Amino acid sequence: MYYRGNPDDAVTLHGAKCDCPWFRDEYEWTSPETGLRPSFDADETCDRLGGRTVMFVGNSTSQQAASTLMNALGKGGCHAQVYSALSDTLIGVPLGMNRGKKWHEWPDSLYPDIVVLSVGAHISTKNDAAFTDVVDQVLNEIDEMKDRWPGTVIAWKTQSPGTCTTDIQSPRNATEAFDASPGWHFRWNYNRFRDRDLMLLSKLQERGVPYLDVRPLYSRSDGHVSSNLPPGGQIDCLHMCIPGLLDIISRLFDRLLRELDER
């Protein structure tokens, strides 16, 4: 139910193992207004991480993010300090698929220095109140557990956007990219992701909880597993091709470390 970076091999693809031979990305992430550096240096990020360990807790999209980070850190030699643990809804309640433990049971057993939570796709109801209730419960649990984990930093990752397109959408404006999403994808709860993330971010900012904001991926729905298929065959418009656009996670993680160091 959990895994870590392989000390002998940086290639670790667990969860949704989404190899897309057809996908070739020729672009680089350049978002100076978000604080992302123009390139990623694994040696520098590993030096910044030091001896700390990191655990991603969430569903298969969280596993994808963790695996991508493990691979990115391989050159720097600290990829074995990154763990991934399964918790589809974080609170252990069947609001959709409900694999794994409650989120706080993982840090209790593995004692990571940094925990990165995420939730969303398996809160399958279109009722936003259920998502809000999960977020509020987890934030309250974080407050209650500060004495138990005095040195542990709890962060959050926004949801991996869900939809399929064949082209890059509004690369300078994630909101416009979301608005351009094909309407038929809204038969799932993908159309609720943006508003739920905005609600989440407002609560995190109010409490000073750090986060990894992956909303730029709204512009790159051409990198989902089924993006090269006709609409009738697009069965997976949530998971990203690996390797691929999730390489943004390494830069976001480096920025998170810099922010933590400045606190």
Side-chain angles (χ1 to χ4, degrees), residues 126 162-166 178-191 221 224 226-238:
K126 296 182 182 298
T163 192
C164 283
T165 61
T166 56
F178 174 87
D179 290 338
S181 299
W184 68 270
H185 290 145
F186 294 171
R187 66 183 182 224
W188 295 293
N189 64 343
Y190 297 167
N191 65 319
S221 292
H224 284 120
S226 294
S227 289
N228 68 319
L229 300 175
Q234 291 178 338
I235 61 174
D236 190 348
C237 293
L238 180 64

Side-chain angles (χ1 to χ4, degrees), residues 26-39:
E26 59 187 34
Y27 300 97
E28 292 284 343
W29 289 108
T30 56
S31 302
E33 70 279 2
T34 65
L36 296 182
R37 295 191 169 186
S39 61

Side-chain angles (χ1 to χ4, degrees), residues 23 29 32 97 108 120 142 182 185 192:
F23 182 75
W29 289 108
M97 193 173 289
D108 275 340
I142 291 172
H185 290 145
R192 304 307 311 148

